Amino acid sequence: MMKFLGDANTVFEIQLLKVRAWWPFYILTIVMFPIGTLYFAKWLVPPGAQEAVGTRLMTGSLVFALGLMTVNNLAQILLYERFNHTLKLVITSPVHPLSYGAGVIAFSLTQGMVTAAAVLAFSPVVGIDIHLDWWLIPVLILTSLSLTGVGLIIATWSPSMEVGNVLANTAGIMVTLLSPVYFPIERLPEGLQWVARFSPYTHAGEAVDLILSGEGGFGREVSYLAAITAVGLAMGVAGLRWRES
């Protein structure tokens, strides 16, 4: 167990060293871009309706940003290390595949939490009043972890970096866009509502909005989100490809 945790921590620290070397890029992707989406969404809403939909705009920006961090960015990190032979050095160290996965996922989760904190801190600037609750932390963590399993499978099984990047973009961006994160699921046609409920971001959006608005009653959505996250992580770990054939 100690070696498992030590190796995972080492992988995490290696990823942090990359941040120090490329910090302007990381600030742009994990801070400026999510804030930009919030700012853009805020000013698309007519002035009279801004107060009523403010928390939903915040919810959409949070979930959209976390979707990018935990699928798109995670897959791209793994793809880069795989096709630039860094992963071979990790394998021959040797490091257990679960330690490597845990370290990279922890780094991705850290990025997501920094993004969430930046977006929440920006809410007064755009005039959105939100209700903060300690429940928001585990919900955001579950949101970040919900599709990491998909990122693991995409990155370790894609035949090339180009294919992997396309699949990561599709999973990270399209799944989020097709989920009702900026509006309630009831606004979708009935035929699409049952499809949207398979997305973890749908339940994350409902739970986060209920928390930020102070309405409460988000237990059911959190339960669904936790269940989807558990299944996704299990599939990702089971489908993780560690060595090339």
Side-chain angles (χ1 to χ4, degrees):
M1 178 58 73
M2 293 303 297
K3 184 180 186 315
F4 173 84
L5 295 176
D7 288 347
N9 182 65
T10 299
V11 172
F12 176 78
E13 290 179 351
I14 290 173
Q15 300 302 325
L16 285 181
L17 290 175
K18 296 179 183 179
V19 174
R20 188 171 66 180
W22 296 91
W23 64 268
F25 170 77
Y26 281 98
I27 289 179
L28 179 65
T29 56
I30 73 174
V31 176
M32 299 307 297
F33 178 75
I35 289 177
T37 61
L38 173 62
Y39 186 84
F40 178 75
K42 177 69 165 63
W43 299 113
L44 283 178
V45 179
Q50 286 182 357
E51 183 176 352
V53 301
T55 57
R56 196 74 208 198
L57 295 180
M58 178 64 68
T59 294
S61 298
L62 279 171
V63 176
F64 182 71
L66 293 178
L68 291 181
M69 292 299 104
T70 56
V71 179
N72 195 319
N73 283 13
L74 172 64
Q76 289 187 7
I77 290 171
L78 295 171
L79 285 165
Y80 178 84
E81 296 194 343
R82 177 185 167 200
F83 289 104
N84 286 276
H85 310 298
T86 304
L87 184 57
K88 290 183 178 180
L89 296 176
V90 175
I91 292 172
T92 55
S93 294
V95 172
H96 194 278
L98 294 183
S99 294
Y100 177 73
V104 177
I105 289 175
F107 173 73
S108 177
L109 177 60
T110 301
Q111 282 187 306
M113 293 303 98
V114 171
T115 296
V119 173
L120 290 169
F122 197 72
S123 62
V125 179
V126 293
I128 297 177
D129 294 325
I130 57 175
H131 172 79
L132 295 179
D133 188 287
W134 285 110
W135 269 103
L136 186 61
I137 296 175
V139 170
L140 292 178
I141 290 175
L142 286 173
T143 305
S144 295
L145 295 177
S146 58
L147 288 185
T148 50
V150 174
L152 290 175
I153 293 174
I154 289 174
T156 57
W157 283 94
S158 294
S160 67
M161 183 176 290
E162 291 76 15
V163 171
N165 283 330
V166 171
L167 292 175
N169 286 329
T170 301
I173 298 176
M174 293 305 297
V175 173
T176 312
L177 289 177
L178 294 175
S179 305
V181 296
Y182 280 102
F183 53 88
I185 191 173
E186 290 76 18
R187 291 184 59 183
L188 288 175
E190 289 188 11
L192 294 179
Q193 289 185 21
W194 70 272
V195 177
R197 292 191 186 280
F198 285 99
S199 169
Y201 300 141
T202 297
H203 305 289
E206 294 297 323
V208 172
D209 186 57
L210 290 170
I211 293 172
L212 294 181
S213 63
E215 294 182 23
F218 47 84
R220 184 181 67 176
E221 301 298 335
V222 174
S223 299
Y224 291 150
L225 176 60
I228 295 174
T229 301
V231 172
L233 284 174
M235 293 176 60
V237 170
L240 175 65
R241 185 187 187 190
W242 190 232
R243 288 181 172 86
E244 305 290 339
S245 57

